[in-house]
């Protein structure tokens, strides 16, 4: 059986990696901070621009603008580097992540916008009850200017999809993210 080649061409991509057997991949905020710094380093090295993220208990989502250097090598360095650090930090051995990362190329502006909304709503979809701007490990609060971005964020590029002027674009983004029904979503990545 042949393996389908991944689309890692330049453009927008939604990327997800899940813990092995759905186990936790972050045990503390220190783990999350290290991961965020590591993503920023890898993004700079490979010419990615991160427009949205969500760090969940057992997986993470990134919405990236991928440049000419592609996606695969950077994802290998990202996941391997974090797994090696995590295992050393917590006295573990063996695999942290299950399958290879999953990605989907986003070819239209509406698909980018809907995917970003899906990503920042992920904590609520997982059962959280707080407002979107209360989840510190997503990019939502940083995008609307209420928090510091934990991963270097190209929020101007995202907000440009919602308007030309900054303040109306932020308001349009807020309305867009709060307008969708948060339950009953269709799975966007394999289990």
């Amino acid at each position: 059986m042949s393996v389908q080649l991944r689309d890692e061409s330049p453009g927008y991509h939604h990327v997800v990696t899940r813990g092995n057997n759905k186990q936790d991949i972050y045990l503390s905020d220190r783990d999350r901070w290290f991961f965020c710094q590591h993503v920023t380093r890898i993004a700079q090295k490979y010419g990615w621009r991160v427009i949205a993220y969500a760090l969940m208990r057992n997986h993470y989502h990134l919405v990236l603008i991928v440049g000419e250097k592609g996606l695969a090598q950077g994802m290998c360095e990202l996941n391997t580097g974090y797994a090696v650090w995590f295992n050393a930090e917590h006295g573990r051995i063996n695999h942290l992540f299950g399958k290879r990362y999953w990605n989907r190329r986003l070819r239209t502006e509406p698909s980018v916008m809907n995917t970003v909304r899906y990503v920042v709503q992920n904590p609520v979809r997982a059962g959280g009850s707080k407002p979107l701007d209360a989840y510190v490990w997503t990019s939502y609060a940083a995008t609307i200017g209420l928090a510091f971005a934990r991963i270097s964020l190209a929020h101007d590029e995202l907000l440009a999809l919602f308007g030309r002027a900054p303040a109306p674009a932020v308001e349009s983004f807020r309305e867009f993210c709060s307008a969708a029904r948060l339950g009953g979503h269709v799975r966007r990545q394999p289990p």
Side-chain angles (χ1 to χ4, degrees):
M1 178 192 247
S2 65
V3 175
Q4 183 178 357
L5 295 176
R6 291 179 187 271
D7 180 351
E8 64 170 297
S9 57
Y12 293 98
H13 288 262
H14 177 197
V15 181
V16 181
T17 303
R18 188 177 303 280
N20 195 22
N21 292 318
K22 298 184 181 181
Q23 73 184 22
D24 290 356
I25 60 172
Y26 311 106
L27 300 180
S28 68
D29 283 350
R30 177 178 160 85
D31 298 341
R32 289 177 185 87
W33 275 113
F34 178 85
F35 180 80
C36 290
Q37 292 171 347
H38 192 51
V39 169
T40 296
R41 278 193 305 272
I42 297 297
Q44 288 173 347
K45 180 176 180 180
Y46 287 93
W48 301 344
R49 293 181 316 281
V50 180
I51 62 168
Y53 61 85
L55 278 56
M56 303 299 289
R57 181 182 50 78
N58 66 359
H59 67 284
Y60 68 83
H61 294 264
L62 299 173
V63 181
L64 308 170
I65 302 171
V66 174
E68 295 299 323
K69 294 182 181 178
L71 188 62
Q73 186 62 37
M75 286 303 297
C76 179
E77 285 187 39
L78 175 63
N79 288 342
T80 301
Y82 178 69
V84 167
W85 180 87
F86 182 89
N87 283 349
E89 179 75 5
H90 296 289
R92 291 179 23 117
I93 60 170
N94 294 327
H95 300 285
L96 175 62
F97 297 113
K99 300 176 185 176
R100 293 171 53 198
Y101 69 91
W102 174 90
N103 79 297
R104 182 170 63 102
R105 174 94 189 282
L106 307 171
R107 298 182 183 277
T108 66
E109 285 185 6
S111 69
V112 173
M113 294 163 69
N114 285 317
T115 299
V116 168
R117 174 171 53 194
Y118 172 82
V119 167
V120 300
Q121 287 180 349
N122 221 255
V124 176
R125 291 176 184 276
S129 59
K130 298 184 283 188
L132 291 179
D133 59 13
Y135 295 98
V136 299
W137 298 107
T138 76
S139 56
Y140 180 79
T143 300
I144 63 172
L146 295 180
F148 169 73
R150 284 152 169 79
I151 294 174
S152 183
L153 194 61
H155 55 76
D156 291 341
E157 292 181 61
L158 171 61
L159 290 174
L161 299 173
F162 291 90
R164 293 179 191 222
V170 167
E171 188 55 34
S172 180
F173 177 72
R174 289 176 78 138
E175 289 173 12
F176 182 77
C177 288
S178 64
R181 194 171 134 234
L182 296 173
H185 70 282
V186 176
R187 293 184 67 87
R188 293 185 156 246
Q189 73 272 355

